[in-house]
């Protein structure tokens, strides 16, 4: 187990170092940091001094090492656009994205699991067919289109829900939450629903596939034979055994949701990390882009590693890498 | 069977053409018995035809600024009050016919989606074959690069590539190269899947006797890879490529919507939605709704065909 743990962690560290290399190359070689930071009037002397001070004359490896060391300590430099510390900017925006992703995940589980069970249990019913069709439509709808259509329906036509912004927020320490005010909750509904559409269908399809397999198992037949009510067998005995893959999927998808939130955030003008990133892209604000890339990839890799380790811990067969095949 | 085929044509037996063989195949049978597959295929063909013939059937060329009349702007669809021919789906704020823009936009979306899948296939198949066939360090390098790519969200890689490419290009080239950049940006994160699939089966096949025999008689490596190993893994590749075609169109639309894709003067469906999104609150709903519907229909039909193909080609489900 320890060997597996070390190997898996080492692998994650390697991947993160590679991502960091990419971020570093973007940061360092696309656009000259000095030109981005000084104003027009700066003299040649100033520029040379700044170049020296930033350590841009050092060797590639030295600079990369410094970049990684700083990044590990949460120092991503200063934004080119508004001269603020990048980490401060991200810290401000992170709660908005986190709450959006959290609520979207909850929606995907609350809607996706029952829908998956229904399509598996009542396989040939009309309801199941409708849900199946709904799921393939859900996969095919781009999330920004869902967002736009939701705005058209619920904000423009009906006027029920706000179409942009976060509403009122309450500060708890450095964390600003929109969950505690009515306007904050109302503002969260449409973005969360539009972000979760894809995830709902994913959960639903997974639960359906797992349920179809589990319902054929002997212990299910036995429970039925013993006289346990059918519904109880389906929703307790069978469903419980399907939840582990769902938890895995949810864990692995959070990184993707954070990345995809940038689309939703753009549609709804949601002041999260994604909006920050898209603005940085339009202004070629490289430090912000590099920081966002590193942070999102870190969350992504950390969750994947965690899921893998949990799996290996639960199921010893997976510890042997060679037995797992390479896929 | 073998005999009929080898008989000369004048003896009366007709050599089965590829059309006959297709008509006899399980796949065709399965296709005919799946209404959703037929429906999607018809829809997709219709979209492809209208997009290809766009210059011939649309009332105006949406890119020709001289053809745009400002007094024809903001006309609603014909069935709404104030709608007028020939602007079936209405016009935008510059007097551009929405139907024409949608058809021209579909053209761009389809081409970019198709090209990026082809590029990803070419790269993925060759790298996967090389990795699986030769093994060793080269395998290690290719697969590690793939691991790193998969450890970043798809959309993030694509955005970064387009952002950096456009930032480092001069003003004039930016718009000209927008489509190739997008094709590249979408292909980069998607080749890994093909490479992994091919590598896995290449590793299995390389150890089998027939490949060993081929190597023994000094058949060239590339020939073994292309003619002996590759055909064995085409089925999963075909399914993956179909589903990725849908994903590629979606990604292109997303990038264009975010403003890092096609520029407004040669709009894809995503760009049109981005433009229409600005008029969401001014009651001009048709500018955004029709490109959205077209995009959803395209992706939906591609996905339905992909789903059907996956089930139809899966021997376990026969």
């Amino acid at each position: 187990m320890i060997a597996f743990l070390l190997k898996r962690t080492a692998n994650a560290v390697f991947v993160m170092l590679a991502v960091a290399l990419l971020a570093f190359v973007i940061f360092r070689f696309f656009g000259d940091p000095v030109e981005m930071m000084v104003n027009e009037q700066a003299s040649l002397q100033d520029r040379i001094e700044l170049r020296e001070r930033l350590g841009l004359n050092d060797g590639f490896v030295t600079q990369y090492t410094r970049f990684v060391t700083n990044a590990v300590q949460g120092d991503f430099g200063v934004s080119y656009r508004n001269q603020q510390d990048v980490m401060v900017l991200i810290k401000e925006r992170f709660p908005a994205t986190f709450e959006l992703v959290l609520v979207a995940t909850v929606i995907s589980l609350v809607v996706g699991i029952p829908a998956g069970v229904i399509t598996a249990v009542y396989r040939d019913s009309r309801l199941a067919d409708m849900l199946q069709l709904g799921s393939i439509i859900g996969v095919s709808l781009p999330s920004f289109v869902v967002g736009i259509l939701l705005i058209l329906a619920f904000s423009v036509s009906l006027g029920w829900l706000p179409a942009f912004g976060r509403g009122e927020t309450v500060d708890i320490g450095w964390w600003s939450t929109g969950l505690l005010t009515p306007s904050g909750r109302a503002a969260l509904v449409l973005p969360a629903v539009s972000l979760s559409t894809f995830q709902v269908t994913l959960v639903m399809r997974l639960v359906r596939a797992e349920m179809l397999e589990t319902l054929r198992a002997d212990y299910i037949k036995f429970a039925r034979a013993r006289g346990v009510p059918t519904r109880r067998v389906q929703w307790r005995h069978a469903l419980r055994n399907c939840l582990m893959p769902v938890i895995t999927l949810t864990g692995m998808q959070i990184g993707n949701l954070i990345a995809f939130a940038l689309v939703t955030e753009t549609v709804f003008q949601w002041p999260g990390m994604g909006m920050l990133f898209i603005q940085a892209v339009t202004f070629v604000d490289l430090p912000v882009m590099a920081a966002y890339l590193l942070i999102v990839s870190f969350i992504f890799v950390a969750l994947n590693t965690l899921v893998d380790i949990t799996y290996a811990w639960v199921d010893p067969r997976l510890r042997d890498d060679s037995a797992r095949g390479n896929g | 069977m073998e005999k009929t085929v080898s008989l000369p044509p004048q003896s009366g037996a007709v050599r089965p053409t590829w059309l006959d063989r297709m008509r006899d195949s399980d796949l065709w049978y399965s296709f005919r018995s799946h209404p959703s597959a037929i429906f999607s295929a018809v829809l997709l063909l219709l979209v492809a035809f209208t997009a290809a013939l766009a210059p011939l059937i649309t009332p105006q060329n949406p890119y020709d600024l001289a053809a745009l009349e400002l007094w024809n702007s903001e006309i609603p669809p014909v069935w709404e009050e104030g709608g007028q021919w020939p602007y079936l789906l209405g016009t935008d704020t510059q007097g551009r016919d929405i139907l024409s823009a949608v058809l021209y936009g579909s053209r761009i979306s389809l081409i970019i989606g198709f090209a990026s899948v082809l590029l990803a296939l070419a790269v993925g198949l060759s790298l996967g074959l090389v990795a699986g066939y030769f093994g060793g360090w080269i395998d290690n390098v290719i697969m590690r690069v793939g691991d790193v790519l998969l450890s970043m969200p798809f959309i993030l890689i694509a955005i970064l590539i387009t952002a950096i490419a456009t930032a480092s290009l001069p003003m004039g080239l930016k718009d000209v190269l927008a489509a190739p950049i997008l094709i590249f940006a979408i292909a980069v994160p998607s080749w890994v899947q093909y490479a992994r699939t091919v590598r896995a089966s290449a590793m299995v096949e390389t150890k089998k006797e027939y490949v060993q025999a081929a190597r023994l008689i000094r058949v060239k490596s590339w020939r073994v890879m292309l003619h002996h190993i590759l055909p064995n893994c085409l089925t999963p590749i075909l399914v993956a490529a179909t589903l990725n075609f849908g994903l590629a169109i979606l990604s292109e639309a997303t990038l264009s919507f975010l403003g890092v894709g096609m520029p407004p003067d040669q709009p894809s469906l995503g760009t049109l939605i981005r433009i229409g999104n600005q008029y969401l609150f001014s009651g001009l709903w048709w500018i955004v709704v029709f490109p959205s519907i077209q995009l959803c229909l395209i992706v939906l039909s591609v996905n339905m065909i992909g789903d059907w193909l996956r089930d139809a080609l899966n021997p376990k489900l026969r």
Side-chain angles (χ1 to χ4, degrees), chain B:
Chain B
M1 193 59 200
E2 199 61 32
K3 256 209 168 119
T4 15
V5 172
S6 56
L7 278 176
Q10 54 265 53
S11 70
V14 183
R15 192 182 162 138
T17 61
W18 65 271
L19 205 69
D20 293 329
R21 272 191 291 156
M22 206 183 90
R23 220 175 279 147
D24 276 345
S25 68
D26 292 346
L27 200 62
W28 182 242
Y29 176 77
S30 159
F31 180 74
R32 278 185 308 167
S33 49
H34 276 78
S36 67
I38 298 175
F39 173 76
S40 322
V42 170
L43 194 67
L44 202 59
L45 280 179
L46 197 71
V47 169
F49 263 111
T50 49
L53 300 177
L56 300 176
I57 56 178
T58 53
Q60 63 166 230
N61 177 358
Y63 308 140
D64 183 10
L65 289 174
L68 305 182
E69 309 282 9
L70 215 53
W71 59 82
N72 280 337
S73 66
E74 302 184 18
I75 297 173
V78 278
W79 59 88
E80 296 266 310
E81 206 182 312
Q84 51 178 275
W85 286 99
Y87 307 113
L88 191 61
L89 301 181
T91 59
D92 70 2
T93 50
Q94 294 170 0
R96 191 177 281 131
D97 175 42
I98 299 287
L99 179 64
S100 313
V102 164
L103 292 185
Y104 274 86
S106 312
R107 214 152 108 127
I108 298 180
S109 294
L110 287 172
I111 290 174
I112 292 181
F114 194 69
S116 67
V117 169
L118 279 189
L119 180 61
L121 266 177
V123 174
L125 293 187
S126 26
L127 288 182
L129 276 177
V130 167
Y133 185 78
F134 292 111
W137 66 269
I138 193 163
D139 175 34
N140 239 326
V141 169
I142 293 173
M143 287 300 123
R144 275 298 147 94
V145 172
D147 283 350
V148 173
L149 281 176
L150 283 190
S151 67
M152 288 182 276
F154 190 103
I155 192 76
L156 199 53
I157 303 177
I159 292 178
L160 277 175
I161 293 176
T162 45
I164 289 167
T166 38
S168 48
L169 281 176
M171 244 344 190
L173 274 177
K174 222 184 264 186
D175 289 357
V176 182
L177 290 179
I181 291 172
L182 275 175
I183 293 168
F184 180 72
I186 296 167
V188 166
S190 43
W191 63 265
V192 186
Q193 190 190 356
Y194 306 121
R196 286 190 167 189
T197 315
V198 177
R199 172 179 174 265
S201 62
M203 277 168 62
V204 174
E205 299 298 323
T206 307
K207 294 194 187 80
K208 289 194 178 156
E209 278 93 353
Y210 76 98
V211 174
Q212 301 288 352
R215 285 173 113 171
L216 205 65
I217 57 169
R218 295 231 178 143
V219 178
K220 292 229 164 50
S221 300
W222 63 267
R223 213 186 148 77
V224 176
M225 286 192 265
L226 281 186
H227 291 255
H228 300 250
I229 298 176
L230 189 60
N232 281 302
C233 39
L234 279 185
T235 310
I237 291 291
L238 183 66
V239 175
T242 313
L243 291 172
N244 275 341
F245 180 46
L247 187 67
I249 293 175
L250 263 188
S251 311
E252 185 279 325
T254 307
L255 292 174
S256 294
F257 175 75
L258 290 174
V260 290
M262 295 303 288
D265 57 347
Q266 34 178 342
S268 71
L269 290 174
T271 324
L272 291 175
I273 298 172
R274 175 185 169 80
I275 296 169
N277 193 29
Q278 297 162 3
Y279 306 107
L280 212 53
F281 293 95
S282 41
L284 309 173
W285 55 270
W286 56 90
I287 304 181
V288 70
V289 165
F290 294 117
S292 304
I293 292 177
Q294 176 84 341
L295 177 63
C296 295
L297 283 180
I298 295 176
V299 179
L300 182 66
S301 49
V302 172
N303 279 350
M304 294 224 278
I305 292 175
D307 265 19
W308 160 75
L309 209 55
R310 180 175 53 199
D311 290 350
L313 294 176
N314 185 348
K316 279 186 207 151
L317 290 178
R318 283 224 181 113

Side-chain angles (χ1 to χ4, degrees), chain A residues 11 14-15 18-19 22 26 30 133 136-137 139-142 144-145 148-149 151-152 155-156 163-164 205 255-256 259-260 262-263 266-267 277-278 281-282 284 286 289 292-293 296-297 300-301 304 326-327, chain B residues 144 147-148 150-156 159-160 163-165 167-168 196 199-200 203 250 253-255 257-260 270 273-274 277 280-281 283 285 288-289 292-293 295-296 299-301 303-304 307 310:
Chain A
N11 200 6
F14 164 79
V15 168
V19 175
L22 196 70
I26 292 171
F30 289 92
L133 185 69
I136 192 159
I137 293 176
V139 175
S140 311
L141 285 179
F144 60 94
V145 169
I148 289 172
L149 296 181
I151 290 178
L152 264 181
S155 304
V156 178
F164 52 84
R205 287 173 158 220
N256 259 330
F260 242 91
L262 67 89
V263 181
T266 311
V267 176
F277 176 69
I278 287 295
V281 166
T282 17
V284 203
L286 296 171
M289 283 165 69
Y292 181 84
L293 172 67
V296 173
S297 302
F300 205 73
V301 171
N304 279 358
N326 294 285
Chain B
R144 275 298 147 94
D147 283 350
V148 173
L150 283 190
S151 67
M152 288 182 276
F154 190 103
I155 192 76
L156 199 53
I159 292 178
L160 277 175
I164 289 167
S168 48
R196 286 190 167 189
R199 172 179 174 265
M203 277 168 62
L250 263 188
T254 307
L255 292 174
F257 175 75
L258 290 174
V260 290
I273 298 172
R274 175 185 169 80
N277 193 29
L280 212 53
F281 293 95
W285 55 270
V288 70
V289 165
S292 304
I293 292 177
L295 177 63
C296 295
V299 179
L300 182 66
S301 49
N303 279 350
M304 294 224 278
D307 265 19
R310 180 175 53 199

